[in-house]
């Protein structure tokens, strides 16, 4: 009886997984198929091209950070046994 329940549960899980895969294929068919064929996410003409940037954007300097004062830590030595 337990084996039958496990088999039914496995069949339901497999069916649900197959349904999710088919739904993904239906929604993103072109992107998935182009990725599987090795074209990647971008068509060759519209892909970002490497190289230097056409213009440089300078970032604003942030105000200097003020760290909160921290308490000084003292070295704590572990007690050494004199029995040795």
């Amino acid at each position: 009886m337990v084996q039958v329940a496990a088999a039914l549960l496995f069949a339901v899980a497999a069916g649900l997984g197959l349904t999710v895969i088919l739904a993904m294929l239906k929604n993103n068919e072109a992107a998935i198929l182009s990725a599987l064929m090795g074209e990647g996410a971008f068509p060759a003409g519209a892909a970002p091209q490497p190289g230097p940037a056409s213009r440089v954007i300078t970032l604003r300097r942030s105000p200097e950070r003020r760290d909160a004062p921290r308490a000084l830590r003292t070295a704590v030595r572990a007690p050494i046994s004199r029995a040795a």
Side-chain angles (χ1 to χ4, degrees):
M1 189 68 170
V2 174
Q3 291 173 343
V4 173
L8 286 175
L9 185 63
F10 180 76
V12 168
L16 183 63
L18 190 59
T19 305
V20 168
I21 290 172
L22 290 176
M24 284 174 34
L25 253 176
K26 183 178 178 184
N27 287 337
N28 299 323
E29 179 181 3
I32 293 172
L33 292 178
S34 69
L36 289 175
M37 292 186 330
E39 295 175 4
F42 299 104
Q49 301 299 320
S54 58
R55 61 185 184 140
V56 177
I57 299 173
T58 56
L59 301 177
R60 287 185 299 145
R61 286 202 173 270
S62 61
E64 290 197 25
R65 220 173 107 186
R66 295 182 182 163
D67 290 328
R70 296 181 183 173
L72 294 176
R73 293 184 184 176
T74 57
V76 178
R77 291 188 174 184
I80 299 174
S81 172
R82 295 186 181 255

